[in-house]
Amino acid sequence: MLKIALILFAVAIIAALLGLGGIADFALWLAGVLAVVAVVLLIIHAVTGRTPTV
């Protein structure tokens, strides 16, 4: 999930450099949401100590 967030951050930077403000804004927002979700899941995993079941 963090990998996707980093890719979206890169897309946002490239879109901003090309002048595509709307796309850059959305990509940055989505990357931030994914990063927060990933951190929350990491904290939950650290607190519970459970391994994920697939």
Side-chain angles (χ1 to χ4, degrees), residues 6-46:
L6 289 174
I7 291 171
L8 284 172
F9 278 130
V11 167
I13 291 171
I14 292 170
L17 290 174
L18 294 175
L20 303 170
I23 295 172
D25 186 41
F26 179 71
L28 188 60
W29 175 81
L30 190 57
V33 169
L34 287 177
V36 169
V37 169
V39 169
V40 168
L41 290 176
L42 177 67
I43 291 170
I44 290 172
H45 174 70

